[in-house]
Amino acid sequence: MGPIGIFGGTFDPIHYGHLRTALELLQRLSLTEVRFVPCADPSHRDTMTVAGAFRLEMVKAAVADQPSFVVDDREFKRQGPSYSVDTLGRLRSENPSVSLCLLMGLDAFLGLPDWYRWEEISELAHIVVAHRPGWRVPEDGVLGELLRERGTDEAASLHNSMCGRIFVTPVTQLEISATELRTSLNAGLDPKFLMPDSVRKIIIESGCYVEDS
Ligand code: ATP
């Protein structure tokens, strides 16, 4: 069995930047699946966030037709803040002998040292970092050092061991961000061609990104 990809995020809302990145990583790394894990309690966020139930519904709609994309709603079944290290710990217990790859964009990787118990993540999973427009791979500091210690260019090393390596890779660069989408949706603009139609339909029918005036 190949590695399982784990793609966490607020997905507020999910868009083609997430989906295309996940598909390219699935194919390039021969992952068995990409597991989308929406964050239930994004307590680190202070910008507008729609109800978790909507974000979850949109992720489910987005991946419905894509084989090997699955939605994992475990963070919605737990109380309190959603910490990646806890989710990874549970996935590791459920899959004791499978390689796990935590997938993230370069912007998220640059914030890694602020994550709760971040240093334990490498004991649970590999970290796969996808380039994202506007962000540069760190050469210095704690992350630069981590990359020198644990970085690999060999996708095979993500298969040959269960955790601990860091793989940084280009993907098709799509300059789509959920923050910008929320702003344009609130202004009444159409998100067509930036996300699947199934997600667009939920947004338009619910009006969930239009703030009450
Ligand atoms: P925001 O713009 O509000 O920060 P976001 O678009 O980054 O949101 P998140 O749900 O926070 O969406 O992102 C989940 C993961 O997807 C993160 O690891 C992030 O780096 C990655 N990601 C988001 N957008 C892209 C993109 N356009 N290309 C590659 N990776 C992306």
Side-chain angles (χ1 to χ4, degrees), residues 148-168:
R148 277 188 290 282
E149 251 172 49
R150 297 181 176 272
T152 177
D153 293 331
E154 304 287 332
S157 28
L158 308 179
H159 287 246
N160 300 339
S161 58
M162 293 201 298
C163 60
R165 306 306 302 264
I166 304 179
F167 184 85
V168 183

Side-chain angles (χ1 to χ4, degrees), residues 8-30:
T10 44
F11 303 119
D12 186 20
I14 191 162
H15 53 69
Y16 281 141
H18 301 125
L19 292 161
R20 181 68 205 172
T21 297
L23 183 65
E24 291 187 18
L25 296 177
L26 175 83
Q27 293 174 340
R28 186 162 313 155
L29 305 177
S30 305

Side-chain angles (χ1 to χ4, degrees), residues 7 10-11 15 18 21 104-105 107 132 174 176-179:
F7 199 12
T10 44
F11 303 119
H15 53 69
H18 301 125
T21 297
M104 64 183 74
D107 59 311
R132 197 172 170 185
L174 296 170
I176 308 174
S177 103
T179 303

Side-chain angles (χ1 to χ4, degrees), residues 61-139:
V63 309
D65 294 334
Q66 176 55 45
S68 307
F69 278 9
V70 295
V71 182
D72 186 327
D73 63 358
R74 70 181 64 225
E75 293 192 355
F76 285 83
K77 295 177 176 156
R78 233 181 27 231
Q79 296 297 314
S82 310
Y83 293 121
S84 300
V85 69
D86 293 334
T87 300
L88 286 172
R90 287 185 176 86
L91 284 164
R92 173 50 73 210
S93 314
E94 290 163 22
N95 301 278
S97 52
V98 174
S99 164
L100 299 178
C101 292
L102 181 64
L103 315 179
M104 64 183 74
L106 188 47
D107 59 311
F109 179 66
L110 292 173
L112 189 66
D114 296 329
W115 292 19
Y116 178 65
R117 288 169 36 211
W118 72 278
E119 281 154 311
E120 293 171 39
I121 288 177
S122 284
E123 293 158 28
L124 297 165
H126 299 297
I127 297 176
V128 172
V129 183
H131 282 232
R132 197 172 170 185
W135 302 91
R136 286 184 49 194
V137 178
E139 288 175 10

